[in-house]
Amino acid sequence: MPIYSPPVRDMQFIMHDMLNVSQSGLPGYADLDPDFTEAVLDAAGKLAAEKMAPLNVSGDRQGCRLENGVVRTPDGFSDAFEAMKEGGWTALDCDPEFGGQGLPYVMGLATGEMFSSANMAFAMYQGLTHGAYSAIHAHGTDEQKATYLSRMVSCDWTGTMNLTEPHCGTDLGMLRTKAEPQDDGSYLITGQKIFISAGDHDLAENVIHLVLAKAPGGGEGTKGISLFIVPKVLVNEDGSLGERNGVSVGSLEEKMGIHGNATCVMNYDSAKGWLLGDLHKGMRAMFTMMNEARLGVAMQGYACAEAAYQNAVAYARERLQGRAATGAENPSAPADPLIVHPDIRRSLMDQKSFVEGARAFSFWGAHLIDRGHNGDTEAEGLVSLLTPVLKGFLTDRGFDVTVQAQQVYGGHGYIEEHGMSQFVRDARIAMIYEGANGVQALDLVARKLPQDGGKHIMAFFQRVKAFCEEHGEDEALASDFVAPLKAASKDLQAAATFFAERGMKNPNDALSGSHDFMHLFGHVALGFMWARMAAAAQAALRASAGDRAFMETKLATGRYYMQRQLPMTTVHLARIRTGADPVMALDAAAF
């Protein structure tokens, strides 16, 4: 049975040593003192480790099942969901007007990480509901908010997002689901949606679907799309549940992973729905949900990697295999533990340095979102730029790390008994849903990079430059952190310049390098996070504050990333500079 230990100490370090959240001056942040956040994280971690993690393997093996039109979740999921609701975890960062606790988004992300590490499939039921809540909160009428939000905050009702159809995924302009207006102001929704996570289940008494559809008069492409609220069970005027709507589950998808989450084919047969936001402007409303979901998926990428890494470390310490090259380190036993071998150490350091850097990057992203919600337009623009990097890079690398963790086990990693294959299978979906990572890379290069005249990427460069100037004379940081960060940032700037010079003449020159640019940017972002964490750890050591061993470990891990991972920026830049020619050289028929 895989293990899981909530990384509360590391979360506390990022929030208080690196981000200094309680001094941020944002509404709600003054309350985030170390004692308060530790209490919240400890309680969430206990729920994750004791209630959710034990159901991870059994949920994977049992999966969901469709019985007489009703989706049944794995044994134990209902009790665990009730425990999550009773603890108030579904309401943590929601609006108090609708029963939420009003904590900043960064706290929701931190608890969500632990829930996802413990049981990714289970955590998705609440996570998707939060996204639907956010869309209604941002774009709904007062009546819609009053009808749905309090019950979604409590997760008495859950929520979904319905985009994909059998013939179209990313290209939503091709969707066929229709919305016919009715005299009472409602619409009748007809069509089929696929890949709908948590589309139906037995954990809540109602499911509130947000469905993209085309209403008359909208024109072609995405400009004609509207977003509708379509409840599984209709809601009466007094708030009670009424008749079953024309919504049904056609089938459950047979998937590679996340078996404990019900991924449904949803059929809408003249189902009654209500417009959310403006007519023919559904993409704007849906992106409120999708942008939040993309940061949540970025978190899933490293959360799954964290769980896999913890198990790899435990196995490497216990498994006896061979002798250390420098002499036996465990002479009383027939062999030394795996962890004495340099290649195992390399793998574990790859894993550790990624997970901790990714956590810092995601927490910083959540902090920027909190700033954006409070009127900081630079933070809002910056997180818009960083969203495809967070989603694409952290899920690509998160999957790689779960594979590395599985590899530590050798042949035992391939055997289901040890549970490592589940981390690999579950992590794989994060690279695909909420916009496949190739699409994230294209969005980054084609839309986000030149957005507003490139001022957001310039704002990122300015933050890196300011850090390097502030710490450039610090002997403890200059050579190990500042110098490599400067070099990597120059590689990123050179890549952006290449796109600016070549992209207008031949768009393929830019788009052929989009994947490499996303990873180049991701490495620079993690290098920036490691440099900031190093500065925070060094400050704590100088002040004799905190756990000395923890801070020294943090510095050593950061040095590893700067020396062994960050130099990948030069490889990505070299690939980008080759342009489109080697990528587009073959005729389509030659493949």
Side-chain angles (χ1 to χ4, degrees):
M1 177 72 72
I3 60 168
Y4 174 65
S5 178
V8 174
R9 179 67 184 90
D10 199 55
M11 292 180 172
Q12 286 283 91
F13 170 78
I14 293 168
M15 284 199 282
H16 299 290
D17 292 84
M18 189 189 99
L19 294 176
N20 199 15
V21 291
S22 61
Q23 304 301 314
S24 296
L26 294 175
Y29 267 62
D31 297 330
L32 301 185
D33 62 74
D35 289 341
F36 176 77
T37 58
E38 184 175 23
V40 172
L41 296 175
D42 277 342
K46 182 178 181 180
L47 178 66
E50 296 181 3
K51 288 284 189 180
M52 299 179 190
L55 299 175
N56 198 37
V57 171
S58 60
D60 177 64
R61 292 177 179 173
Q62 186 178 358
C64 297
R65 60 194 187 278
L66 181 61
E67 296 178 347
N68 299 319
V70 179
V71 176
R72 304 295 182 188
T73 53
D75 295 343
F77 271 41
S78 182
D79 289 343
F81 201 69
E82 287 302 311
M84 176 186 274
K85 289 167 55 179
E86 290 171 6
W89 299 108
T90 64
L92 198 68
D93 60 334
C94 296
D95 189 341
E97 181 180 350
F98 303 103
Q101 298 178 39
L103 291 181
Y105 180 64
V106 70
M107 290 300 296
L109 185 84
T111 57
E113 179 202 319
M114 291 188 280
F115 298 159
S116 294
S117 288
N119 194 325
M120 179 172 158
F122 174 86
M124 289 170 63
Y125 291 100
Q126 182 270 332
L128 288 158
T129 303
H130 191 285
Y133 151 85
S134 295
I136 297 173
H137 190 271
H139 301 283
T141 64
D142 289 342
E143 182 181 0
Q144 287 171 341
K145 293 177 185 179
T147 299
Y148 299 107
L149 290 190
S150 63
R151 293 172 175 87
M152 294 176 76
V153 166
S154 67
C155 270
D156 289 335
W157 298 352
T158 60
T160 72
M161 55 193 298
N162 286 236
L163 289 78
T164 308
E165 299 183 4
H167 61 283
C168 71
T170 301
D171 191 356
L172 291 171
M174 296 171 60
L175 68 78
R176 297 171 183 161
T177 299
K178 300 296 183 182
E180 295 294 332
Q182 304 300 297
D183 292 340
D184 63 358
S186 67
Y187 289 76
L188 294 183
I189 312 299
T190 301
Q192 185 180 77
K193 299 290 184 176
I194 62 171
F195 305 157
I196 308 306
S197 300
D200 193 68
H201 51 81
D202 55 2
L203 303 178
E205 57 187 0
N206 204 359
V207 181
I208 311 303
H209 301 287
L210 300 191
V211 183
L212 287 179
K214 287 189 174 182
E220 298 299 319
T222 58
K223 293 180 180 178
I225 294 175
S226 301
L227 184 62
F228 299 90
I229 300 174
V230 187
K232 169 184 172 180
V233 181
L234 295 172
V235 182
N236 297 320
E237 289 187 6
D238 63 0
S240 64
L241 293 180
E243 297 178 356
R244 176 69 185 257
N245 204 356
V247 182
S248 62
V249 179
S251 63
L252 293 180
E253 305 284 10
E254 295 277 344
K255 310 188 299 290
M256 176 179 174
I258 55 168
H259 295 148
N261 194 269
T263 307
C264 302
V265 173
M266 300 300 302
N267 294 324
Y268 293 87
D269 184 12
S270 295
K272 202 163 189 175
W274 288 264
L275 182 68
L276 177 60
D278 296 328
L279 186 65
H280 308 317
K281 295 183 179 179
M283 294 304 295
R284 182 173 65 182
M286 180 58 82
F287 268 108
T288 297
M289 186 173 184
M290 287 189 69
N291 284 335
E292 177 181 314
R294 284 171 177 169
L295 185 54
V297 173
M299 173 269 287
Q300 288 180 335
Y302 79 83
C304 209
E306 165 71 42
Y309 162 71
Q310 288 188 18
N311 284 274
V313 170
Y315 188 79
R317 286 173 174 160
E318 297 169 0
R319 174 72 170 177
L320 301 181
Q321 195 78 36
R323 289 293 187 188
T326 54
E329 294 193 16
N330 191 23
S332 61
D336 290 330
L338 280 172
I339 203 165
V340 307
H341 302 298
D343 192 59
I344 295 294
R345 291 290 187 94
R346 172 204 56 79
S347 176
L348 294 177
M349 287 296 283
D350 280 351
Q351 297 168 49
K352 179 178 174 65
S353 63
F354 165 74
V355 168
E356 293 179 13
R359 178 176 297 118
F361 189 20
S362 294
F363 278 36
W364 182 47
H367 180 58
L368 290 173
I369 287 175
D370 283 330
R371 286 194 173 280
H373 287 167
N374 286 281
D376 187 334
T377 55
E378 180 180 310
E380 192 173 41
L382 189 54
V383 81
S384 177
L385 169 73
L386 294 173
T387 294
V389 183
L390 283 155
K391 196 280 183 186
F393 181 70
L394 297 192
T395 59
D396 275 354
R397 289 290 298 122
F399 174 74
D400 290 345
V401 164
T402 62
V403 173
Q404 283 185 286
Q406 182 189 38
Q407 186 73 13
V408 170
Y409 280 70
H412 290 288
Y414 200 67
I415 303 301
E416 291 293 340
E417 175 188 352
H418 292 276
M420 296 305 289
S421 73
Q422 184 185 351
F423 296 126
V424 174
R425 290 185 284 104
D426 286 355
R428 185 65 184 89
I429 186 56
M431 302 164 69
I432 299 172
Y433 60 15
E434 304 306 340
N437 286 355
V439 175
Q440 300 300 321
L442 294 177
D443 178 52
L444 173 63
V445 169
R447 294 183 63 250
K448 300 299 177 61
L449 189 58
Q451 191 173 33
D452 297 324
K455 75 175 185 179
H456 306 307
I457 185 72
M458 296 307 297
F460 176 80
F461 288 139
Q462 184 56 43
R463 291 185 182 225
V464 173
K465 180 181 178 182
F467 176 89
C468 292
E469 289 177 348
E470 180 182 356
H471 299 283
E473 302 302 319
D474 186 337
E475 292 184 3
L477 299 174
S479 62
D480 290 344
F481 293 94
V482 174
L485 178 59
K486 274 185 179 179
S489 181
K490 288 180 179 178
D491 286 344
L492 184 62
Q493 292 176 55
T497 300
F498 177 86
F499 290 155
E501 293 174 349
R502 300 277 290 272
M504 291 297 291
K505 297 176 184 177
N506 181 7
N508 284 345
D509 276 339
L511 300 182
S512 295
S514 60
H515 174 84
D516 281 290
F517 186 81
M518 181 177 73
H519 277 253
L520 198 167
F521 203 156
H523 278 298
V524 174
L526 258 65
F528 185 32
M529 295 301 101
W530 271 115
R532 291 178 63 180
M533 287 190 284
Q538 196 62 53
L541 288 173
R542 286 169 176 160
S544 299
D547 182 345
R548 187 172 188 85
F550 175 90
M551 298 302 174
E552 289 177 344
T553 299
K554 185 64 70 174
L555 286 166
T557 307
R559 290 189 193 100
Y560 179 90
Y561 193 89
M562 305 306 271
Q563 293 170 4
R564 300 277 301 210
Q565 293 294 324
L566 196 56
M568 281 299 298
T569 59
T570 61
V571 175
H572 291 302
L573 177 59
R575 291 174 178 167
I576 288 167
R577 282 176 165 161
T578 65
D581 288 347
V583 174
M584 307 299 288
L586 292 181
D587 184 84
F591 283 92

